[in-house]
């Protein structure tokens, strides 16, 4: 089982900031055991890479959504026809969340898009909050902000991963990204982080 020192070394090699890596090392050591993943270490590199990408290297556990009109158009080209269409939602996170998330992923009530915006490593939408909450034994529908706390963010993503990503797909970064993201946004960085994580984990295993 990896110690906080082991995790600190891994996170630093994945370019996590030193203070952040230090704060998270205990969380990883307390949460991830030898039996946590069905495929053991084969899960770790793709899992860690996706988590790091989705949280901006563990710096952001709640989706920002404070975007310019140009950024909105780039992220959701199918939902906004042009810059003028996106402009009312620029730098208006709550309105943007309602626009892009309401009416899907189980978001049926007014305010669901904002209440169940992405937290932790990309858990988004009422249905996903319910699903992950049931796996964790936590009522995330009543307390969605739990997923913005490091321990719950990590545990929730582990539960989601183990029930969603088959072992046969662990080498398929594109496929994993499509399941998690709905597309391939950030694919190049996810692939880079996978390589960094794999190198860090293998180096630690042979040290």
């Amino acid at each position: 089982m990896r110690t906080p020192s082991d995790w600190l070394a891994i996170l630093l090699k994945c370019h996590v900031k030193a203070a952040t890596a230090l704060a998270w090392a205990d969380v990883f050591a307390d949460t991830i055991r030898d039996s946590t993943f069905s495929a053991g270490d084969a899960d770790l590199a793709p899992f860690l890479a996706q988590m790091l990408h989705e949280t901006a290297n563990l710096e952001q556990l709640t989706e920002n959504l404070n975007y310019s009109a140009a950024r909105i158009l780039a992220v959701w080209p199918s939902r906004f026809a042009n810059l003028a269409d996106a402009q009312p939602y620029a730098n208006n996170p709550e309105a943007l969340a309602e626009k892009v998330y309401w009416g899907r992923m189980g978001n049926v009530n007014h305010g669901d898009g904002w209440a169940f915006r992405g937290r932790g490593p990309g858990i988004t939408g009422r249905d996903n909050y319910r699903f992950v909450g049931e796996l964790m034994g936590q009522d995330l529908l009543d307390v969605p902000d739990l997923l913005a706390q490091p321990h719950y963010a990590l545990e929730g993503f582990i539960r989601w991963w183990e029930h969603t990503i088959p072992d046969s797909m662990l080498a398929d970064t594109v496929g994993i990204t499509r399941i998690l993201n709905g597309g391939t946004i950030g694919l190049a960085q996810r692939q880079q982080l996978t390589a960094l994580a794999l190198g860090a984990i293998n180096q630690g295993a042979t040290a």
Side-chain angles (χ1 to χ4, degrees), residues 34-44 46 161-162 165-168 170:
D34 292 340
S35 59
T36 294
F37 292 104
S38 58
D41 273 5
D43 274 292
L44 273 184
W161 182 275
E162 282 295 278
I165 304 299
D167 292 347
S168 60
L170 293 177

Side-chain angles (χ1 to χ4, degrees), residues 7-53:
W7 278 109
L8 177 61
I10 290 169
L11 294 174
L12 290 174
K13 288 169 186 171
C14 290
H15 300 168
V16 175
K17 292 179 181 178
T20 304
L22 189 61
W24 275 84
D26 284 331
V27 179
F28 276 90
D30 288 343
T31 307
I32 297 181
R33 310 289 177 170
D34 292 340
S35 59
T36 294
F37 292 104
S38 58
D41 273 5
D43 274 292
L44 273 184
F47 171 86
L48 184 58
Q50 295 288 342
M51 180 165 187
L52 292 179
H53 177 83

Side-chain angles (χ1 to χ4, degrees), residues 74-96:
V75 175
W76 291 284
S78 65
R79 295 184 175 272
F80 298 91
N82 48 50
L83 280 175
D85 192 26
Q87 191 59 52
Y89 303 94
N91 307 116
N92 191 347
E94 189 166 350
L96 178 59

Side-chain angles (χ1 to χ4, degrees), residues 125-203:
R126 176 181 283 272
D127 284 348
N128 282 321
Y129 274 74
R130 179 186 293 109
F131 172 64
V132 172
E134 288 174 354
L135 294 174
M136 295 171 65
Q138 300 290 339
D139 189 351
L140 296 180
L141 296 184
D142 276 351
V143 195
D145 276 329
L146 278 180
L147 285 181
Q149 298 178 24
H151 170 77
Y152 291 110
L154 179 56
E155 181 186 351
F157 194 45
I158 289 170
R159 302 281 187 150
W160 179 89
W161 182 275
E162 282 295 278
H163 283 79
T164 309
I165 304 299
D167 292 347
S168 60
M169 189 180 277
L170 293 177
D172 182 5
T173 304
V174 174
I176 293 172
T177 300
R178 287 189 187 279
I179 291 173
L180 178 59
N181 177 260
T184 57
I185 293 173
L187 179 61
Q189 187 191 40
R190 295 173 201 264
Q191 291 171 327
Q192 180 185 37
L193 284 168
T194 301
L196 284 173
L198 185 61
I201 289 163
N202 286 342
Q203 183 174 342

